[in-house]
Amino acid sequence: MVRKRLSEREAFTDCEAWMKAAPTRPVIDRSNLLREAVALLDEAGLEGLTMRRLAERLGVQAPSLYNHVRDKDELVALIADALSAEIAVPAAGMPWRHTIEQIAHGFRRVLLAHRDAALVFAMSPPAGPNRMRLIEHVLATVTEAGFAKEDACKAAYAMHTFVMGFALEEGLGSARDRDGLPAVADRSYMSSLPAERFPTMCALNSEWCAFDSQKAFDFALGMLLDGFAVHLAPKAKAKEKAPARA
């Protein structure tokens, strides 16, 4: 019976099995893992960034990812550091205000370029070579500008949270657009408000509905840095009046 079944099989006529290359497993490393993780973040957002979906993109089983990252929290921290590499640092020797402006604008661009990036930064510790490079540059800039040590930390934190908060609000607006939800600044909605209850909002209806986030960011950042300059002014005057050392 066994011989009969063997004889009924299709005859083996070539050496195809030996000529074919042995199947190989996809090779992943930290670099392509992060590249696909950022792509998945842009596509599905932070909630949709799961180890299972990332493994599918890489063509491996989810447990394989744990050879490279401990868990999703560590993955998010690595993504934040990878995104930090996209933020350019101005050349040395630039005025402190110009340096802070350039970093703030670069930070905002990165936060808006990647879905839920503000949440990624907010949910991860300030760690990693790229992220620490930025922090070091900002702290060095405000310290050299004349801030005392404690005030330098406060100034750097104020700049960071301002950009984060602004970009987070802008990102939520993009999410509303993706989900087809109406924006609060819709002209018809604003026009429907009773003027006796909301006189100022009705009076500013046109300006509110024509809101430009870029102009608003520039305005608010300028006000923040004006405050920095006011804080530094007495120190600058004292430095100018100080007698030169022999």
Side-chain angles (χ1 to χ4, degrees):
M1 181 65 70
V2 173
R3 290 181 179 178
K4 182 179 180 181
R5 284 200 298 268
L6 289 173
S7 63
E8 290 174 353
R9 292 181 181 178
E10 184 177 349
F12 182 79
T13 58
D14 56 33
C15 297
E16 182 180 2
W18 282 270
M19 297 298 292
K20 286 182 178 180
T24 58
R25 296 179 179 179
V27 177
I28 63 172
D29 55 27
R30 182 69 65 81
S31 178
N32 62 357
L33 184 149
L34 286 176
R35 185 169 55 251
E36 289 301 324
V38 171
L40 180 57
L41 176 73
D42 292 340
E43 176 186 302
L46 187 57
E47 186 176 350
L49 176 65
T50 65
M51 303 300 271
R52 179 184 61 79
R53 294 182 68 175
L54 179 57
E56 289 174 355
R57 291 182 70 96
L58 291 164
V60 299
Q61 297 297 315
S64 300
L65 300 183
Y66 296 103
N67 294 322
H68 304 275
V69 292
R70 183 177 58 195
D71 50 28
K72 183 175 178 179
D73 289 340
E74 185 173 271
L75 176 63
V76 170
L78 290 169
I79 291 174
D81 188 64
L83 297 184
S84 296
E86 300 179 17
I87 305 171
V89 171
M94 301 296 292
W96 71 265
R97 182 163 183 147
H98 177 80
T99 297
I100 296 299
E101 285 177 338
Q102 291 299 306
I103 293 177
H105 282 288
F107 190 20
R108 174 174 172 262
R109 279 193 295 271
V110 168
L111 293 178
L112 295 181
H114 299 282
R115 185 173 174 183
D116 288 344
L119 289 175
V120 167
F121 277 85
M123 295 177 63
S124 57
N130 297 307
R131 195 167 179 182
M132 297 300 287
R133 168 187 62 99
L134 290 170
I135 297 172
E136 168 65 22
H137 201 82
V138 171
L139 286 173
T141 298
V142 294
T143 300
E144 291 168 7
F147 281 96
K149 290 182 178 180
E150 182 180 353
D151 292 341
C153 295
K154 293 176 182 176
Y157 182 76
M159 190 276 284
H160 174 77
T161 53
F162 160 70
V163 179
M164 284 273 291
F166 202 100
L168 179 60
E169 179 64 26
E170 290 180 286
L172 291 175
S174 299
R176 286 193 292 264
D177 292 340
R178 280 195 302 269
D179 297 335
L181 300 174
V184 174
D186 181 77
R187 186 176 297 275
S188 60
Y189 171 79
M190 295 291 288
S191 300
S192 68
L193 295 175
E196 65 277 8
R197 291 183 59 193
F198 307 103
T200 307
M201 293 182 70
C202 290
L204 296 176
N205 182 21
S206 297
E207 290 75 12
W208 185 263
C209 293
F211 181 82
D212 185 313
S213 61
Q214 179 63 60
K215 291 181 180 179
F217 182 82
D218 292 339
F219 175 80
L221 179 60
M223 295 288 285
L224 178 65
L225 298 183
D226 285 346
F228 286 7
V230 169
H231 179 82
L232 290 171
K235 300 178 183 298
K237 290 181 180 179
K239 188 176 181 179
E240 290 174 2
K241 293 180 180 179
R245 294 183 178 179

